[in-house]
Amino acid sequence: MKIKLSVIALVGISLSSTSCATIFTGTQDKITFNSTPEGAKVFHKGIEKCTTPCTVKIERALSKQTVTFEKEGFENQEVKLVKNFNAVTLLNIILGGAIGVGIDAATGSLTKYSPKQYDVELKANQQ
């Protein structure tokens, strides 16, 4: 009986101190970017990530995240990435894992990007 209680206690402590969302869903999301016309460069945090059409992993973060589409002869277009609550975080809350919730918050895993695809129509520069 003592062994069973010890195992249950150990499992409970382990689960409550883990960062469930970080472990189960990671810290990045694959997002697809399309533009009309194609061939626009996609920048995130000032770093070129890809050229449309493309799919790239974007780090999650609690702060506002944007990407910028740039193509010569067209106006730059900034798009805010939409985030939703990551339900896996509820495992930490239910199991009492304050440490895990803190880790999920620090890694941005409390949220996830949704939608996973952005389609942008670029406007030609007015000459």
Side-chain angles (χ1 to χ4, degrees), residues 87-122:
V88 177
T89 300
L90 291 175
L91 291 175
N92 282 332
I93 295 168
I94 291 169
L95 298 173
I99 295 170
V101 172
I103 293 170
D104 287 346
T107 62
S109 292
L110 284 176
T111 61
K112 59 184 177 180
Y113 294 113
S114 180
K116 301 279 196 241
Q117 179 171 320
Y118 291 84
D119 300 309
V120 172
E121 189 162 332
L122 300 173

Side-chain angles (χ1 to χ4, degrees), residues 16-92:
S16 68
S17 64
T18 60
S19 49
C20 291
T22 302
I23 292 170
F24 292 126
T25 64
T27 60
Q28 303 174 338
D29 284 315
K30 283 185 180 179
I31 302 177
T32 299
F33 298 103
N34 297 302
S35 67
T36 304
E38 294 181 349
K41 294 179 181 180
V42 179
F43 291 86
H44 178 247
K45 296 183 178 180
I47 300 170
E48 184 178 336
K49 292 293 188 175
C50 61
T51 302
T52 61
C54 59
T55 300
V56 66
K57 289 183 179 181
I58 302 289
E59 291 282 332
R60 294 183 189 148
L62 294 180
S63 61
K64 175 183 167 186
Q65 298 295 305
T66 60
V67 294
T68 304
F69 291 77
E70 295 182 10
K71 183 173 175 72
E72 191 171 327
F74 293 85
E75 295 178 16
N76 293 350
Q77 187 163 342
E78 186 174 278
V79 175
K80 179 182 175 188
L81 298 179
V82 179
K83 296 179 283 188
N84 292 313
F85 179 72
N86 189 351
V88 177
T89 300
L90 291 175
L91 291 175
N92 282 332

